[in-house]
Amino acid sequence: MKKKLLSVLLSVTVLASALSFTACSDKDKNVNTDEKATEGELTVYTALEDEQVSTYLEDFNKKYPDIKVNVVRESTGIITAKLIAEKDNPQADVVWGTAASSMMVLDDQGGLKGYAPEGVERILPEFKSDKDTPTWVGIDAWETAIVVNTEEAEKLNLPEIKSYDDLLDPAFKGHIVMSNPNSSGTGFLTVSAVLQLMGEDEGWEYLDKLDENIAMYTHSGSKPAKMASSGECAVGISFGYAGLSQKEDGAPVEVIFPEEGSGWDLEANALINKDEINPVAYTFLDWAISDSAMALYKENYPIITTNDVGEYEGYEGDPLEQLIENDFSWAASSRDDILKTWMEKYDAKSEAEE
């Protein structure tokens, strides 16, 4: 396990190095406490789940009742596209709980400003920007999972699923829902994992065959799990928390982590680069990696970035063992080509934009 974990951590470091600037500018130096504020208003962009946002912010609001937080919540791909489009006229003050791979793209384009939140030394160096003053800080990891409605599966006499290959069985035709990688971070990390595990040629061949069984591609990474939970589909390719939270709420689902390993990414926070930085943004980012916030993240994800791996019902053994040896630098450099190819091949089955 230590060898595999080391490889995983090193891959994150490689990606951060590949996409970061060669040096910190004066504007990236950290602020002093006099520049922070405990009252005011700020705008936060996030890809966290709605129920997570409301639960987490209860803690923040108790500590800082005089700060009003305006939340813009969308899926990872939409948040990333929005931030890139607004780069020259930023509307957000802070991005919270959005894929580190997306943060690295924004950082490479100059969209983030360096800030070292209080307590950042607790975050493993592999899970934050490698600049002297970090431009993004990870909080937890999420991974591919397959969510099966056991009642529907029994009714349809569907075979057992243990691996990605099992999803190609003709019995699943029209019964699988997956997310679109262009709008969903979960969709992208899953497609990236398939291409890495199988090789690009075989990976696309696999995705061609999988597409034959797909009923629809959603624009949200959690929606396939929710659709499986409600019986709208028998199988949803989603992520661990999305399925396990449905199961905890009493849905008749089983959450399966494919035996080949799961694609994964980090949820991360960052300060948006603006001419005038909102002083309450510093306060929010301090709280967002505080002990109380980390404790809340750990209730949903067993892997948090302070090297504190928790126990979470639904995972067998060490959750770190489920993560593939992810080549983030390849995924980043190949991202545009992957998304373009995917759109050309499979977008016809994507759900309509709302």
Side-chain angles (χ1 to χ4, degrees):
M1 190 279 282
K2 290 181 179 178
K3 182 177 179 181
K4 182 173 181 180
L5 175 57
L6 177 61
S7 177
V8 168
L9 298 184
L10 286 175
S11 68
V12 178
T13 304
V14 169
L15 176 59
S17 299
L19 292 177
S20 66
F21 293 116
T22 55
C24 292
S25 64
D26 288 340
K27 72 178 180 179
D28 286 333
K29 291 181 180 178
N30 213 37
V31 302
N32 62 50
T33 55
D34 294 336
E35 296 178 73
K36 302 178 184 180
T38 56
E39 60 181 28
E41 186 171 343
L42 83 161
T43 298
V44 176
Y45 284 11
T46 184
L48 293 168
E49 296 300 305
D50 288 323
E51 65 270 19
Q52 294 173 341
V53 171
S54 58
T55 300
Y56 297 163
L57 284 183
E58 286 180 10
D59 182 73
F60 179 81
N61 292 332
K62 287 178 183 177
K63 291 179 170 61
Y64 301 102
D66 296 322
I67 296 178
K68 180 182 178 183
V69 181
N70 301 312
V71 174
V72 175
R73 192 272 162 193
E74 294 285 357
S75 61
T76 298
I78 294 173
I79 286 292
T80 304
K82 191 173 178 66
L83 288 166
I84 291 173
E86 296 174 355
K87 182 171 67 67
D88 295 330
N89 184 29
Q91 302 302 302
D93 297 304
V94 165
V95 61
W96 173 40
T98 301
S101 55
S102 294
M103 294 303 94
M104 293 168 189
V105 172
L106 288 164
D107 195 9
D108 193 43
Q109 297 184 11
L112 305 181
K113 183 177 178 66
Y115 175 61
E118 289 182 11
V120 73
E121 67 280 354
R122 295 160 31 257
I123 308 298
L124 292 176
E126 297 84 359
F127 293 147
K128 58 190 173 187
S129 156
D130 66 347
K131 294 183 178 180
D132 290 342
T133 303
T135 45
W136 58 269
V137 178
I139 54 176
D140 55 48
W142 89 105
E143 72 294 276
T144 301
I146 301 166
V147 184
V148 178
N149 185 304
T150 53
E151 293 178 353
E152 289 297 311
E154 183 177 0
K155 186 188 307 180
L156 296 166
N157 196 29
L158 297 178
E160 182 180 11
I161 299 172
K162 293 184 178 180
S163 69
Y164 294 111
D165 281 344
D166 291 337
L167 296 171
L168 302 185
D169 191 306
F172 290 107
K173 186 175 181 63
H175 298 303
I176 301 175
V177 170
M178 178 180 168
S179 54
N180 181 328
N182 285 270
S183 52
S184 162
T186 301
F188 182 76
L189 66 84
T190 299
V191 169
S192 173
V194 167
L195 297 176
Q196 290 183 61
L197 288 166
M198 302 180 187
E200 291 187 62
D201 290 341
E202 290 187 13
W204 284 116
E205 289 176 7
Y206 170 84
L207 292 169
D208 286 345
K209 295 175 183 175
L210 178 63
D211 181 67
E212 295 176 9
N213 287 347
I214 295 289
M216 180 174 68
Y217 296 102
T218 68
H219 294 297
S220 161
S222 61
K223 190 169 182 177
K226 294 174 181 178
M227 291 179 68
S229 172
S230 65
E232 294 176 73
C233 66
V235 179
I237 302 175
S238 187
F239 60 98
Y241 165 79
L244 293 170
S245 62
Q246 296 294 322
K247 184 174 183 178
E248 187 175 344
D249 288 342
V253 295
E254 180 183 4
V255 180
I256 299 159
F257 296 97
E259 59 188 15
E260 300 96 332
S262 294
W264 63 283
D265 205 337
L266 295 169
E267 292 187 313
N269 311 330
L271 181 66
I272 298 300
N273 190 7
K274 306 174 76 168
D275 291 337
E276 293 186 14
I277 300 298
N278 188 338
V280 296
Y282 301 124
T283 303
F284 185 88
L285 289 171
D286 287 349
W287 165 82
I289 64 161
S290 66
D291 287 343
S292 61
M294 282 290 179
L296 290 170
Y297 305 148
K298 190 176 176 181
E299 290 181 9
N300 296 321
Y301 299 101
I303 303 170
I304 58 175
T305 56
T306 53
N307 199 26
D308 184 8
V309 178
E311 294 182 4
Y312 196 83
E313 188 176 349
Y315 292 85
E316 294 183 4
D318 188 339
L320 289 169
E321 290 287 358
Q322 182 59 32
L323 307 182
I324 69 166
E325 296 183 11
N326 208 342
D327 187 345
F328 281 109
S329 58
W330 171 84
S333 63
S334 304
R335 182 182 180 88
D336 287 346
D337 288 341
I338 290 172
L339 296 179
K340 181 181 178 181
T341 300
W342 192 96
M343 286 289 285
E344 291 172 350
K345 284 175 167 286
Y346 316 123
D347 190 49
K349 288 186 177 180
S350 290
E351 67 178 336
E353 298 277 3
E354 294 183 357

